[in-house]
Amino acid sequence: MIERYTLPEMGRVWSDQHKYELWCRVETLVLEAHAAAGRVPADVVEPVRAAPPPTPERVAEIEETTQHDVIAFLTAWADNTSPRSAAAYVHHGMTSSDLLDTALAVQLTEATDLLLARMDRLVAVLRDHALAHRDTIKVGRTHGVHAEPDVWGHRVADIAFAAARSRDRLRAARERVGVVAISGAVGTYSLIDPSVEVDVARALDLRPADASTQVVLRDSVSEWVAALAIIATVCETVALEVRHGQRTEVRELSEAFGSGQKGSSAMPHKKNPIRSERIAGLARVVRAAVVPVMEGIPLWHERDISHSSTERVFLPDAAITTDYLLHLTTGLVENLVVDVQRMRDNLESTGGLIYTSSVLLEVVERGLSREDAYALVQSSAMETWNTGTPFRETLRARAAASGVALDEARLDEICRPERYVQRLGPLFDRLAALS
């Protein structure tokens, strides 16, 4: 991922330097387990443990010749080991994927812990924003068209619960990807005792794989990426709401616009929802990772490496982008400008059409068939759409022409927006308990 969208902590997790540090750690843990069991000389452990990780530049230089990154790493690290002869026992009984998959599991869990912390923050910010606007009346829209009265806090609450569910999915995915596989060339432990895998897993606070061939099957990694894609799309849900709300014709919501900020090189009046649009664009990047990573599940027999190049691109990019998306979305909500009066004005802009559902039931309860009641209310509504005449007036005239008596006091009660949201209390109680 380009530097523009990479935050420091997550960038560090996926850096080559950190990767080689993890490789050194895994190899050292394996060597310690071997030495403790008496399989290798005990005096080789300390020189290996003390050897500094090789630099990415040195590994890349050797890989130009070997065309094998693990061998290049082992060679470069051996060059850093004194005496170099101690390095002869590094990678003892292992295959490359024992190292790669185990270190990757550490990276995935480290990345997940950073993401979970950001998810906690986003859930809290969404919850608090929704509770602050539990009484902010707005029009609810379906298909982009005014439907019935709602409150802004209800819409945000829905997204807050979705964010919490997304966090739960990611937490579950962390458990699945946090596995150690040190089982040899085809996963049969032919040259390495299974106890080594157990010891390394314990030291890394992970768990041994239930089974592996030369690699761990990629269903769990695919689940993890899918969890990130859902998180990214929940972030986009927030952004889409803001993008709509900031349209000139709507103007109910807007991103914070700082002193000195510019919206357009050509049009000085512009205040554009750039943060929301960036969120929408980057969410596509995360979703794009799902299928390529999932296609790494079916490999030839005990292993091929068709998954490897895909994962080197998409796993870091998905994690880094999701991290940045969570940062953007949290800031968006924290600084969101809500125009309460504009929401009320828009609610009333259709002349009362938002009350047709309740009026329909009221007319049915006064004795009309549902078909006749629907025809009366719809024809009145269409006249309001076409002429701009308030709905109560068109309804009154058409009801009189049809011989239908209306209870004006009852219609006054029906056409009160607060009536539509009076049963949302338990929802906000549930939201207040969300953590």
Side-chain angles (χ1 to χ4, degrees):
M1 179 49 60
I2 63 174
E3 186 176 345
R4 180 182 180 92
Y5 303 132
T6 303
L7 299 177
E9 284 186 291
M10 187 63 80
R12 163 72 178 157
V13 169
W14 295 102
S15 68
D16 283 342
Q17 186 60 52
H18 184 58
K19 178 178 71 174
Y20 295 140
E21 290 167 0
L22 291 178
W23 286 13
C24 289
R25 185 181 179 196
V26 171
E27 291 283 3
T28 301
L29 289 171
V30 171
L31 187 64
E32 289 172 349
H34 280 318
R39 299 186 196 98
V40 303
D43 61 0
V44 303
V45 174
E46 186 53 39
V48 169
R49 187 189 293 129
T55 65
E57 294 77 15
R58 178 58 178 152
V59 175
E61 180 185 355
I62 298 172
E63 190 180 355
E64 285 292 321
T65 300
T66 64
Q67 294 297 299
H68 193 291
D69 59 344
V70 172
I71 293 175
F73 159 78
L74 293 172
T75 302
W77 194 29
D79 290 342
N80 290 351
T81 305
S82 180
R84 198 180 192 284
S85 58
Y89 292 95
V90 172
H91 207 66
H92 200 68
M94 296 171 64
T95 191
S96 296
S97 287
D98 291 336
L99 175 60
L100 296 173
D101 279 4
T102 298
L104 177 61
V106 178
Q107 284 181 296
L108 291 173
T109 54
E110 288 178 343
T112 302
D113 290 342
L114 293 176
L115 294 173
L116 287 172
R118 290 201 185 277
M119 286 297 298
D120 286 342
R121 179 64 182 152
L122 178 60
V123 169
V125 166
L126 287 167
R127 177 199 63 211
D128 294 347
H129 185 88
L131 291 171
H133 288 280
R134 63 184 297 166
D135 297 319
T136 301
I137 293 287
K138 65 179 282 292
V139 67
R141 298 173 174 90
T142 58
H143 306 276
V145 178
H146 287 204
E148 288 185 351
D150 196 356
V151 289
W152 172 236
H154 177 210
R155 180 69 185 112
V156 180
D158 190 25
I159 303 172
F161 283 115
R165 291 191 298 271
S166 300
R167 178 185 57 189
D168 293 343
R169 290 186 196 97
L170 181 59
R171 189 175 288 122
R174 184 194 189 281
E175 293 303 310
R176 302 217 219 292
V177 298
V179 298
V180 169
I182 300 176
S183 54
V186 294
T188 60
Y189 305 96
S190 58
L191 300 175
I192 196 163
D193 193 282
S195 64
V196 174
E197 184 178 73
V198 174
D199 290 344
V200 172
R202 185 183 303 113
L204 295 174
D205 198 23
L206 302 176
R207 61 182 179 84
D210 297 322
S212 62
T213 56
Q214 192 178 99
V215 295
V216 177
L217 200 71
R218 262 36 193 179
D219 59 306
S220 297
V221 175
S222 298
E223 179 183 354
W224 184 81
V225 173
L228 299 194
I230 293 172
I231 289 169
T233 307
V234 170
C235 291
E236 187 182 6
T237 302
V238 177
L240 186 64
E241 201 70 33
V242 175
R243 291 172 67 193
H244 168 75
Q246 194 162 333
R247 291 169 57 215
T248 305
E249 297 81 3
V250 180
R251 297 204 316 277
E252 295 176 358
L253 305 170
S254 60
E255 296 181 4
F257 196 82
S259 176
Q261 185 174 340
K262 304 294 188 291
S264 167
S265 63
M267 297 168 283
H269 72 280
K270 295 279 278 180
K271 293 200 299 183
N272 300 325
I274 57 170
R275 180 181 288 245
S276 298
E277 291 173 339
R278 192 182 312 156
I279 291 169
L282 289 174
R284 300 168 188 167
V285 173
V286 183
R287 287 193 295 270
V290 173
V291 171
V293 172
M294 189 175 292
E295 288 176 344
I297 296 175
L299 300 177
W300 283 22
H301 312 300
E302 280 68 37
R303 188 221 181 181
D304 63 58
I305 62 166
S306 59
H307 66 293
S308 175
S309 53
T310 301
E311 291 177 2
R312 289 171 192 257
V313 173
F314 282 107
L315 297 186
D317 279 9
I320 290 169
T321 307
T322 303
D323 184 53
Y324 184 62
L325 280 169
L326 289 169
H327 165 73
L328 284 180
T329 306
T330 300
L332 174 64
V333 178
E334 284 180 319
N335 299 295
L336 188 64
V337 179
V338 179
D339 190 331
V340 175
Q341 185 57 53
R342 181 68 179 184
M343 286 185 170
R344 190 77 184 213
D345 292 345
N346 285 342
L347 177 86
E348 297 170 353
S349 65
T350 57
L353 290 180
I354 56 175
Y355 304 117
T356 61
S357 56
S358 288
V359 172
L360 171 64
L361 297 187
E362 175 66 16
V363 176
V364 168
E365 289 168 6
R366 296 189 68 80
L368 263 67
S369 68
R370 184 173 178 88
E371 290 80 2
D372 289 343
Y374 195 100
L376 171 62
V377 175
Q378 185 185 43
S379 63
S380 304
M382 292 304 108
E383 184 178 347
T384 295
W385 274 123
N386 293 332
T387 66
T389 304
F391 173 62
R392 287 282 292 273
E393 293 182 22
T394 61
L395 177 68
R396 189 180 298 116
R398 286 176 178 268
S402 301
V404 177
L406 298 175
D407 183 338
E408 293 292 338
R410 176 64 178 157
L411 288 177
D412 286 342
E413 170 61 19
I414 287 173
C415 297
R416 188 173 61 86
E418 291 76 11
R419 178 177 178 272
Y420 284 75
V421 297
Q422 62 189 4
R423 293 173 176 162
L424 286 176
L427 181 149
F428 286 108
D429 291 341
R430 292 192 296 275
L431 180 66
L434 187 64
S435 62

mmCIF file of all heavy atoms in Angstrom, residues 262-289:
data_model
loop_
_atom_site.group_PDB
_atom_site.id
_atom_site.type_symbol
_atom_site.label_atom_id
_atom_site.label_comp_id
_atom_site.label_asym_id
_atom_site.label_seq_id
_atom_site.Cartn_x
_atom_site.Cartn_y
_atom_site.Cartn_z
ATOM 1 N N LYS A 262 -9.385 24.025 1.116
ATOM 2 C CA LYS A 262 -9.902 24.392 -0.202
ATOM 3 C C LYS A 262 -10.679 23.215 -0.781
ATOM 4 O O LYS A 262 -10.285 22.060 -0.633
ATOM 5 C CB LYS A 262 -8.751 24.757 -1.150
ATOM 6 C CG LYS A 262 -7.839 25.869 -0.629
ATOM 7 C CD LYS A 262 -8.555 27.202 -0.537
ATOM 8 C CE LYS A 262 -7.590 28.344 -0.209
ATOM 9 N NZ LYS A 262 -7.049 28.280 1.170
ATOM 10 N N GLY A 263 -11.773 23.507 -1.474
ATOM 11 C CA GLY A 263 -12.602 22.459 -2.033
ATOM 12 C C GLY A 263 -12.392 22.233 -3.518
ATOM 13 O O GLY A 263 -12.679 21.148 -4.022
ATOM 14 N N SER A 264 -11.935 23.252 -4.213
ATOM 15 C CA SER A 264 -11.794 23.134 -5.669
ATOM 16 C C SER A 264 -10.758 24.135 -6.143
ATOM 17 O O SER A 264 -10.679 25.263 -5.628
ATOM 18 C CB SER A 264 -13.142 23.394 -6.356
ATOM 19 O OG SER A 264 -12.977 23.578 -7.746
ATOM 20 N N SER A 265 -9.980 23.723 -7.132
ATOM 21 C CA SER A 265 -9.007 24.654 -7.696
ATOM 22 C C SER A 265 -9.678 25.693 -8.582
ATOM 23 O O SER A 265 -9.101 26.750 -8.851
ATOM 24 C CB SER A 265 -7.963 23.882 -8.510
ATOM 25 O OG SER A 265 -8.588 23.222 -9.615
ATOM 26 N N ALA A 266 -10.907 25.411 -9.026
ATOM 27 C CA ALA A 266 -11.601 26.314 -9.955
ATOM 28 C C ALA A 266 -12.764 27.051 -9.316
ATOM 29 O O ALA A 266 -13.080 28.172 -9.703
ATOM 30 C CB ALA A 266 -12.115 25.512 -11.156
ATOM 31 N N MET A 267 -13.423 26.444 -8.305
ATOM 32 C CA MET A 267 -14.671 26.983 -7.758
ATOM 33 C C MET A 267 -14.512 27.235 -6.270
ATOM 34 O O MET A 267 -14.621 26.309 -5.456
ATOM 35 C CB MET A 267 -15.817 26.001 -8.013
ATOM 36 C CG MET A 267 -16.099 25.766 -9.498
ATOM 37 S SD MET A 267 -17.196 24.351 -9.785
ATOM 38 C CE MET A 267 -16.041 22.983 -9.544
ATOM 39 N N PRO A 268 -14.259 28.468 -5.870
ATOM 40 C CA PRO A 268 -13.966 28.759 -4.468
ATOM 41 C C PRO A 268 -15.091 28.445 -3.492
ATOM 42 O O PRO A 268 -14.838 28.335 -2.288
ATOM 43 C CB PRO A 268 -13.668 30.272 -4.491
ATOM 44 C CG PRO A 268 -13.213 30.551 -5.889
ATOM 45 C CD PRO A 268 -14.038 29.633 -6.745
ATOM 46 N N HIS A 269 -16.329 28.309 -4.000
ATOM 47 C CA HIS A 269 -17.446 28.070 -3.076
ATOM 48 C C HIS A 269 -17.538 26.620 -2.611
ATOM 49 O O HIS A 269 -18.285 26.313 -1.684
ATOM 50 C CB HIS A 269 -18.769 28.434 -3.755
ATOM 51 C CG HIS A 269 -19.191 27.464 -4.825
ATOM 52 N ND1 HIS A 269 -18.654 27.489 -6.093
ATOM 53 C CD2 HIS A 269 -20.078 26.428 -4.813
ATOM 54 C CE1 HIS A 269 -19.210 26.527 -6.817
ATOM 55 N NE2 HIS A 269 -20.071 25.862 -6.063
ATOM 56 N N LYS A 270 -16.775 25.721 -3.197
ATOM 57 C CA LYS A 270 -16.996 24.293 -3.004
ATOM 58 C C LYS A 270 -16.532 23.791 -1.636
ATOM 59 O O LYS A 270 -15.445 24.106 -1.167
ATOM 60 C CB LYS A 270 -16.259 23.508 -4.087
ATOM 61 C CG LYS A 270 -16.776 23.748 -5.492
ATOM 62 C CD LYS A 270 -18.017 22.920 -5.768
ATOM 63 C CE LYS A 270 -17.604 21.515 -6.154
ATOM 64 N NZ LYS A 270 -18.777 20.676 -6.434
ATOM 65 N N LYS A 271 -17.404 23.001 -1.008
ATOM 66 C CA LYS A 271 -17.079 22.206 0.176
ATOM 67 C C LYS A 271 -17.501 20.776 -0.145
ATOM 68 O O LYS A 271 -18.685 20.450 -0.082
ATOM 69 C CB LYS A 271 -17.808 22.716 1.420
ATOM 70 C CG LYS A 271 -17.364 24.087 1.885
ATOM 71 C CD LYS A 271 -17.725 24.346 3.350
ATOM 72 C CE LYS A 271 -19.219 24.286 3.587
ATOM 73 N NZ LYS A 271 -19.536 24.610 5.013
ATOM 74 N N ASN A 272 -16.541 19.962 -0.502
ATOM 75 C CA ASN A 272 -16.842 18.618 -1.000
ATOM 76 C C ASN A 272 -16.636 17.560 0.084
ATOM 77 O O ASN A 272 -15.779 17.714 0.949
ATOM 78 C CB ASN A 272 -15.943 18.286 -2.190
ATOM 79 C CG ASN A 272 -16.123 19.260 -3.331
ATOM 80 O OD1 ASN A 272 -17.220 19.745 -3.575
ATOM 81 N ND2 ASN A 272 -15.043 19.572 -4.031
ATOM 82 N N PRO A 273 -17.381 16.460 0.030
ATOM 83 C CA PRO A 273 -17.230 15.385 1.022
ATOM 84 C C PRO A 273 -16.041 14.484 0.691
ATOM 85 O O PRO A 273 -16.180 13.279 0.435
ATOM 86 C CB PRO A 273 -18.562 14.638 0.920
ATOM 87 C CG PRO A 273 -18.967 14.795 -0.514
ATOM 88 C CD PRO A 273 -18.504 16.182 -0.909
ATOM 89 N N ILE A 274 -14.840 15.067 0.716
ATOM 90 C CA ILE A 274 -13.671 14.345 0.218
ATOM 91 C C ILE A 274 -13.293 13.156 1.091
ATOM 92 O O ILE A 274 -12.832 12.134 0.594
ATOM 93 C CB ILE A 274 -12.470 15.291 0.046
ATOM 94 C CG1 ILE A 274 -12.129 15.991 1.370
ATOM 95 C CG2 ILE A 274 -12.733 16.308 -1.044
ATOM 96 C CD1 ILE A 274 -10.810 16.740 1.336
ATOM 97 N N ARG A 275 -13.470 13.285 2.392
ATOM 98 C CA ARG A 275 -13.134 12.172 3.280
ATOM 99 C C ARG A 275 -14.076 10.992 3.009
ATOM 100 O O ARG A 275 -13.641 9.844 2.920
ATOM 101 C CB ARG A 275 -13.222 12.606 4.741
ATOM 102 C CG ARG A 275 -12.886 11.496 5.728
ATOM 103 C CD ARG A 275 -13.001 11.970 7.172
ATOM 104 N NE ARG A 275 -11.939 12.869 7.542
ATOM 105 C CZ ARG A 275 -11.011 12.605 8.470
ATOM 106 N NH1 ARG A 275 -11.021 11.434 9.084
ATOM 107 N NH2 ARG A 275 -10.093 13.479 8.780
ATOM 108 N N SER A 276 -15.339 11.290 2.853
ATOM 109 C CA SER A 276 -16.324 10.231 2.582
ATOM 110 C C SER A 276 -16.061 9.565 1.242
ATOM 111 O O SER A 276 -16.188 8.342 1.103
ATOM 112 C CB SER A 276 -17.739 10.813 2.615
ATOM 113 O OG SER A 276 -18.035 11.344 3.885
ATOM 114 N N GLU A 277 -15.696 10.369 0.246
ATOM 115 C CA GLU A 277 -15.407 9.787 -1.065
ATOM 116 C C GLU A 277 -14.139 8.947 -1.035
ATOM 117 O O GLU A 277 -14.047 7.925 -1.721
ATOM 118 C CB GLU A 277 -15.304 10.911 -2.102
ATOM 119 C CG GLU A 277 -16.655 11.562 -2.369
ATOM 120 C CD GLU A 277 -16.567 12.789 -3.256
ATOM 121 O OE1 GLU A 277 -15.478 13.386 -3.360
ATOM 122 O OE2 GLU A 277 -17.597 13.158 -3.845
ATOM 123 N N ARG A 278 -13.170 9.346 -0.219
ATOM 124 C CA ARG A 278 -11.957 8.548 -0.070
ATOM 125 C C ARG A 278 -12.285 7.210 0.594
ATOM 126 O O ARG A 278 -11.769 6.162 0.214
ATOM 127 C CB ARG A 278 -10.916 9.304 0.753
ATOM 128 C CG ARG A 278 -9.523 8.685 0.709
ATOM 129 C CD ARG A 278 -8.557 9.470 1.582
ATOM 130 N NE ARG A 278 -8.647 10.900 1.322
ATOM 131 C CZ ARG A 278 -8.288 11.827 2.202
ATOM 132 N NH1 ARG A 278 -7.835 11.489 3.393
ATOM 133 N NH2 ARG A 278 -8.386 13.098 1.893
ATOM 134 N N ILE A 279 -13.151 7.255 1.581
ATOM 135 C CA ILE A 279 -13.586 6.013 2.231
ATOM 136 C C ILE A 279 -14.257 5.097 1.213
ATOM 137 O O ILE A 279 -13.979 3.888 1.159
ATOM 138 C CB ILE A 279 -14.543 6.327 3.398
ATOM 139 C CG1 ILE A 279 -13.770 7.012 4.538
ATOM 140 C CG2 ILE A 279 -15.239 5.066 3.901
ATOM 141 C CD1 ILE A 279 -14.654 7.610 5.616
ATOM 142 N N ALA A 280 -15.143 5.648 0.408
ATOM 143 C CA ALA A 280 -15.841 4.835 -0.593
ATOM 144 C C ALA A 280 -14.865 4.206 -1.573
ATOM 145 O O ALA A 280 -15.000 3.026 -1.938
ATOM 146 C CB ALA A 280 -16.870 5.698 -1.335
ATOM 147 N N GLY A 281 -13.878 4.958 -1.991
ATOM 148 C CA GLY A 281 -12.913 4.423 -2.951
ATOM 149 C C GLY A 281 -12.041 3.338 -2.353
ATOM 150 O O GLY A 281 -11.811 2.289 -2.968
ATOM 151 N N LEU A 282 -11.559 3.542 -1.126
ATOM 152 C CA LEU A 282 -10.664 2.563 -0.511
ATOM 153 C C LEU A 282 -11.390 1.305 -0.072
ATOM 154 O O LEU A 282 -10.782 0.232 0.007
ATOM 155 C CB LEU A 282 -9.931 3.208 0.666
ATOM 156 C CG LEU A 282 -8.876 4.253 0.273
ATOM 157 C CD1 LEU A 282 -8.306 4.935 1.510
ATOM 158 C CD2 LEU A 282 -7.760 3.619 -0.551
ATOM 159 N N ALA A 283 -12.681 1.416 0.216
ATOM 160 C CA ALA A 283 -13.441 0.200 0.548
ATOM 161 C C ALA A 283 -13.423 -0.772 -0.625
ATOM 162 O O ALA A 283 -13.414 -2.002 -0.428
ATOM 163 C CB ALA A 283 -14.883 0.571 0.911
ATOM 164 N N ARG A 284 -13.381 -0.253 -1.831
ATOM 165 C CA ARG A 284 -13.307 -1.128 -3.011
ATOM 166 C C ARG A 284 -11.995 -1.900 -3.027
ATOM 167 O O ARG A 284 -11.959 -3.064 -3.458
ATOM 168 C CB ARG A 284 -13.425 -0.286 -4.282
ATOM 169 C CG ARG A 284 -14.723 0.499 -4.393
ATOM 170 C CD ARG A 284 -14.666 1.526 -5.514
ATOM 171 N NE ARG A 284 -15.824 2.400 -5.484
ATOM 172 C CZ ARG A 284 -15.927 3.526 -6.181
ATOM 173 N NH1 ARG A 284 -14.919 3.906 -6.982
ATOM 174 N NH2 ARG A 284 -17.011 4.273 -6.107
ATOM 175 N N VAL A 285 -10.929 -1.256 -2.559
ATOM 176 C CA VAL A 285 -9.621 -1.916 -2.525
ATOM 177 C C VAL A 285 -9.665 -3.127 -1.599
ATOM 178 O O VAL A 285 -9.150 -4.204 -1.926
ATOM 179 C CB VAL A 285 -8.531 -0.923 -2.072
ATOM 180 C CG1 VAL A 285 -7.199 -1.635 -1.877
ATOM 181 C CG2 VAL A 285 -8.390 0.214 -3.081
ATOM 182 N N VAL A 286 -10.294 -2.974 -0.440
ATOM 183 C CA VAL A 286 -10.359 -4.084 0.509
ATOM 184 C C VAL A 286 -11.244 -5.196 -0.029
ATOM 185 O O VAL A 286 -10.886 -6.386 0.039
ATOM 186 C CB VAL A 286 -10.861 -3.599 1.878
ATOM 187 C CG1 VAL A 286 -10.859 -4.757 2.885
ATOM 188 C CG2 VAL A 286 -9.985 -2.457 2.409
ATOM 189 N N ARG A 287 -12.394 -4.845 -0.575
ATOM 190 C CA ARG A 287 -13.276 -5.884 -1.138
ATOM 191 C C ARG A 287 -12.599 -6.641 -2.274
ATOM 192 O O ARG A 287 -12.835 -7.834 -2.466
ATOM 193 C CB ARG A 287 -14.586 -5.260 -1.629
ATOM 194 C CG ARG A 287 -15.526 -4.845 -0.516
ATOM 195 C CD ARG A 287 -16.915 -4.539 -1.044
ATOM 196 N NE ARG A 287 -16.956 -3.406 -1.924
ATOM 197 C CZ ARG A 287 -17.164 -2.141 -1.544
ATOM 198 N NH1 ARG A 287 -17.335 -1.862 -0.256
ATOM 199 N NH2 ARG A 287 -17.187 -1.162 -2.419
ATOM 200 N N ALA A 288 -11.738 -5.938 -3.007
ATOM 201 C CA ALA A 288 -11.052 -6.571 -4.136
ATOM 202 C C ALA A 288 -10.113 -7.679 -3.688
ATOM 203 O O ALA A 288 -9.703 -8.509 -4.506
ATOM 204 C CB ALA A 288 -10.271 -5.521 -4.934
ATOM 205 N N ALA A 289 -9.765 -7.730 -2.407
ATOM 206 C CA ALA A 289 -8.847 -8.757 -1.916
ATOM 207 C C ALA A 289 -9.533 -10.085 -1.679
ATOM 208 O O ALA A 289 -8.868 -11.127 -1.598
ATOM 209 C CB ALA A 289 -8.190 -8.277 -0.622
#
